[in-house]
Each structure stands twice: as structure tokens, then as C-alpha cells.
Amino acid sequence: MGEQLGGLKRTYMCGELTVEYVGKSVVVMGWVNSRRDHGGLVFIDLRDRTGIVQIVFSEQVSKEAFEKVQSVRSEYVLAVEGEVVKRLPENVNSKIPTGEIEIYAKNLKILSKSETPPFPIEDRSNISEAVRLKYRYLDLRRPSMQKNLITRFKLTQAVREFLNDNGFIEIETPMLIKSTPEGARDYLVPSRIYPGKFYALPQSPQIFKQLLMIAGFDRYYQIARCLRDEDLRADRQPEFTQIDIEMSFVEVEDVLDINERMIKHVFKKVLDVDLDIPFRRLSYQEAMERFGTDKPDLRFGMELKDLSDILRESEFNVFKNALKNGGSIRGINVKGAALMTRKQLDELVEFAKNFGAKGLLWMQVLEGEVKSPATKFLTEGELNKILERLEAEVEDLLLIVADKDEVVFDTLGHLRVEMAKRFNLIDESKYEFVWVVDFPLLEYDEEEKRYVAKHHPFTSPKDEDIDLLEKEPLKVRAKAYDVVVNGTEIGGGSIRIHDTELQKRMFKVLGFSEEEAWKKFGFLMEAFKYGAPPHGGIAYGLDRLAMIITGSDTIRDVIAFPKTQNAVCLMTDAPSEVSEEQLKELHIKVDL
RNA sequence: GGCCCAAUAGCUCAGUUGGUUAGAGCGCCAGCCUGUCACGCUGGAGGUCGAGGGUUCAAGUCCCUUUUGGGUCGCCA
């Protein structure tokens, strides 16, 4: 059994001891990072969240402590009382901040023993995700994970600081809410009191924040947990956190402006990075045409170029069909990549097919010739114009896709990023922010055979496009915006509809009958009747933002207890079966 | 739901064309060591090769099924 503290007080954290403390009697507490036993002399590196300090045990200092330390092993929890001593110059460890001093141990308490941990508690070993998640509390003991969670904390502090100073009020909204159509699959919670009825867990506080605006809170924020029952990715967890913000009496520019200032504040506070504001702005249309995506990575060029006009008269069937079907022909220029092998090129074609492209046309621009499966189908004039349009030079690789616009953009957009990664074109030290604005309000859902909201059904159309709502729904642009950094969408929002009539028209376009709309969103429509201010806001993916700021590859590394790709918690084994009694109480029969 | 990668000692991995008793580094255990800090030296323990089935004289290795972890497309307003 471990010893009790017995009144012993910690006086310093391990990482804060420096030469300034030489001569002081101190008490430190922490975990054994490592033990180096030299027989007559034992070194222990003691670790807490602030760092590591070396403790020296020898018979001369304390026979009792020296004898006690013989049994100490990795990850034992110790309290050490001793004197801070300056190390001899030849013994200084310049790799750690406390490396100029050490503690001569006079008194040792073994507060807790530890079995040998399943993996070493250090940053340099890369342990499989499964083992890390099963022993998450040990994984979180590693310095890099501690740093990540502390950075995340600083991030939320900086956000709160800014919003508090700018008149925003933090308000909580319910977790047990009404299930509404549209959007992601809900997590459901059965009601015990009302057999057969369910609450939903919120996908976001969207409707509640709008109701808070109607209630007159004017500026609201919340760091809110959101839940969506959809398939996971490196940057998606079933539960995640949003920085949720809403403001009254504002237009698009007002929202963008205050958010730029907030992001600038946060980056300064957390990373000491000075961002230039205002951020660049791109319309959705322009983002798609130049980068093939609505979340462009602006740290490098390689922009898409439209070749349709050049190939208008082409006899090549691939081009002809694409244009005939209302599509386009576009390409990118991968500088200096011409010398790829045939196998690598074939792999690129396969890569392109992932995004629905039927093929990918490559052109190797070589000294005096262009190697490509397409050259024989092109006139010399066409070829030269393509080279000119893509600013091709010797050793460049041109990649061309002809298809529906949607497929062309998606394929080239992904190829652009993939090639930039392969050829190391990305400056990792940069933060390239951009607002993508003027999103389409609606898109057509082939499965459901109806229009669906691209953002959400409360998003306001642009004033000048309102009249197109019924006539040409796909042409209506929204007062919606996303903030993108380095190719990752970290936040998005919109100015909302605050008018009952317009909201009704919107529901109608979405294919809801009056009754349906009223049944699902009646409380909101009702609220609109009593004086709704113009309002809008934004929501950030806090986890993604933390991922960017810490330079992590996955949001799991900035979440204390994440789930696997199959939405399982390996530590607690959730989800799990529940007792018959629990099910009975909820009037639920499991049908497997 | 589709596609791709991985699974061998506690951890990270190697294991050739199917062929003797499955290896390495780290960790662990024991002994030695008063200046290490990825301590060192000597010795030792440790394996259901993810699981099931098949082919074969013989399977970690080939085939099928399956489970788990990861990546990705669909999906995620």
C-alpha cells in the first residue's frame, strides 16, 4: 500500500525549479519518468505536468531514502523532500529546463506503486491508436498530449476573453431536445415518462441560439457539445465541441469583422502569431473554379484553369461528351513533376477515379515534345493553347479532367492537394485564412428527389436573389460564410431568416407542407411572430481549431477521451448492453 | 455501404521461394556499478504469429471468412 501524505505539502512543481532555487529545501511530487541505478547512487527523473527534475539518492544524503528508493520503478508516485543543488558544469543536462540543478533527496515517500505500464510514457515512441485509447489515462500522461490539452484550454480561454470583452453573454442550452428533420442523424434518448417518445441530443444549439436572439440577448456564445450519429474521420468524432456564436442587428460583414478580430486575438494569445486582417474573401463560385473546393488551401498555387473554350471544337470523344453534357474541361499544372513513372501516373488515374472521374489525362511536358495519351487526338493549335493556358514549361506535368463540373472540381481539387503534399509545396509554418462567401442556398438531393439546404433551413437568401427562390432555386445565393484555414473548414455560419413569411417560403421550397413545417418547427415560427431581430452568427469546430493550432493530424489528439472510427470508447467499452430492467422501464424491445 | 493499409513478445518491428527449435531493439526480472540523464556491463524470463476454416507431407508465410485499429469515398445542414 502507498504511504499517506501525512501533512507533507508540495512546495514546487518539477518543471519550475532552476538555479534560482539553489540551496532551498523543497518538496516535489510526481511520477517516476525514469530510474538510473548506479549502485551507490540512484538518479530518479520525477515528472509532473510542468516537466522533469532529477532527484539524486545516495547514502551520504539519507541512508533511509536511499534504501527506500531501491524498490522504486517507473511510474511510481513519489513525494520527495530535499535540497536543490547546482550541478557541476560537466553534469549539466542542457536538454531540459531544470538541467542545471538537481534535488538531493533527504526524505522519500512512495505514495503509490505502479505496475509496468503497457507502453513507455514518452513522446518519441509512436504507439498504436488502439493501445493508446485503451490506456488513455497513460497516453494523456505523455508530455505532448498534456501540451495539446493545455493549448486547447488556452484557446478556449482566449475565445472567452475576447467574447466577454465584446459584450457576449455565455448561455447554456439543453442537451435533451426535440428531434428535427434535416441535417445529420440524431442520437436519440428514450423518454421513460412518455413511452415511445424520444429526445434527441443536439447536433448544434442552432435553433436555441436563434430563440435567444428573439429573447433579446443580442450577443450570445457558448462552448457547446454537439452530437451527430454519422461515420467518423480523422477530423470527425461523434461528439465534438463548437464555439457557438450569435448576434442581433448585424449583416454578413459585421459577423466576419468581429470574428476576424477574435481569431486574431486567439492566435496572438495562444501562438504569439500576428495575423493580418481582414482575411481574404472568395465567393463559393470563385473558390470552386480556382481551387476545386469550397475549403481551399491557399498556402500554394497550382490553380485550376478552364480549357473548355480551347477544346470547344475538339473531336476527342472524352472532351466532346463532357462539353455536350454541360460539363467542362479543366486542368492543373504540377510544376516539375513530368518525370513520374508510368506506374505512378496510372496510380494518379486511379486516385482520380475515387472522385467519380471516368479518367484523368496527363501530359508530360518534355524537352521538344509532350508525352500524353491525348496528343494524337489534339490539333497542334489546341495543344499549344493548353500549354499556354497552363503556363507549361519543360518538366511540368499537366493533369486534365473532362466531366460534369462537379466531378471536374472535386477531382482536380483533391489532386491539387495530393500533388502539393507529394511534392512538398506546402509551407507548414503559414496560416492562410480565407472567408468563403455566397454559398448556394440549396442543392438538389438525388436520393430524396428534392431541394435541401446547403447550410441549414434557417439561412437567409441574399436580398437580390430572393425572387429566384421559387423560379430557379439552385441559383439562389445564401448569406452564408465559412472560415477556412490551410484547407480546413474551421467554422461556418449565416445570417438567418427572421421573417415568418420568408421562412415559410423556404420550408415550401424544401418540400415541407405547411403542416409538416409547423409540426417540426412550429415553436420557431411562433417565436418569429413576436418580434425577431435580424440576426446571424457562426459556429467553429473547436476540435479542428485546436488540431490546427497544435499541429495535430487528428482531432483525437486534442480530445481527452475520444472514440474510435467505429464510435467505440476502448477504455470504458461504450456502447454496451444494458439490463432488462432498464429496457423495460423505457418500454424498449431490442430487435436484433 | 464501398475501397485501401495494418495486426507476430509488454511496446515498436523484421521474418526471403511454404521447410529445423519464430528473431531484433526497447521494456521487464536478477546481479554488478558514485555522475547518469535514451546510463553501462553480465545473465534471464517472456509467443494462441488477431480469430475460424481450407490447400499442403509441411502454413507466421498461400486461399476463404471474420474481428479489431487506422485512412478514405459515400455520408456529415
Side-chain angles (χ1 to χ4, degrees), chain A residues 367-494:
Chain A
E367 194 70 58
E369 68 163 333
V370 173
K371 249 192 184 169
S372 169
T375 41
K376 60 186 163 199
F377 301 108
L378 295 172
T379 66
E380 204 180 318
E382 285 167 343
L383 183 60
N384 284 335
K385 278 186 192 156
I386 290 172
L387 295 178
E388 192 188 341
R389 178 74 49 89
L390 285 167
E391 294 166 25
E393 296 171 312
V394 172
E395 293 204 348
D396 288 353
L397 177 71
L398 311 183
L399 299 174
I400 296 167
V401 178
D403 214 308
K404 288 182 294 189
D405 278 349
E406 201 185 307
V407 172
V408 172
F409 289 143
D410 201 24
T411 307
L412 288 175
H414 279 95
L415 274 168
R416 175 177 172 270
V417 172
E418 175 67 18
M419 299 311 279
K421 279 185 189 156
R422 281 199 206 180
F423 287 89
N424 249 331
L425 302 180
I426 300 173
D427 179 350
E428 298 286 348
S429 70
K430 275 194 188 168
Y431 296 101
E432 288 288 350
F433 280 88
V434 56
W435 287 108
V436 178
V437 300
D438 295 347
F439 278 81
L441 183 69
L442 302 157
E443 51 195 357
Y444 192 73
D445 187 316
E446 293 290 347
E447 264 176 45
E448 293 192 48
K449 303 281 177 218
R450 68 177 182 96
Y451 295 105
V452 295
K454 190 163 172 79
H455 186 54
H456 59 54
F458 318 111
T459 303
S460 174
K462 292 192 85 169
D463 301 342
E464 60 267 40
D465 292 354
I466 290 180
D467 291 340
L468 298 170
L469 205 49
E470 288 80 12
K471 284 177 272 175
E472 290 187 276
L474 291 178
K475 287 212 170 143
V476 180
R477 289 165 302 165
K479 292 181 182 172
Y481 33 81
D482 278 357
V483 56
V484 172
V485 57
N486 298 350
T488 300
E489 179 212 321
I490 55 164
S494 61

Side-chain angles (χ1 to χ4, degrees), chain A residues 537-549:
Chain A
I538 193 166
Y540 291 87
L542 175 66
D543 314 275
R544 284 186 190 174
L545 194 52
M547 179 172 103
I548 299 269
I549 283 180

Side-chain angles (χ1 to χ4, degrees), chain A residues 156-166 221 265 269:
Chain A
T156 54
Q157 285 300 95
V159 166
R160 283 205 164 95
E161 197 173 69
F162 179 88
L163 293 173
N164 294 347
D165 287 350
N166 281 276
Y221 80 96
H265 174 82
K269 277 273 171 174

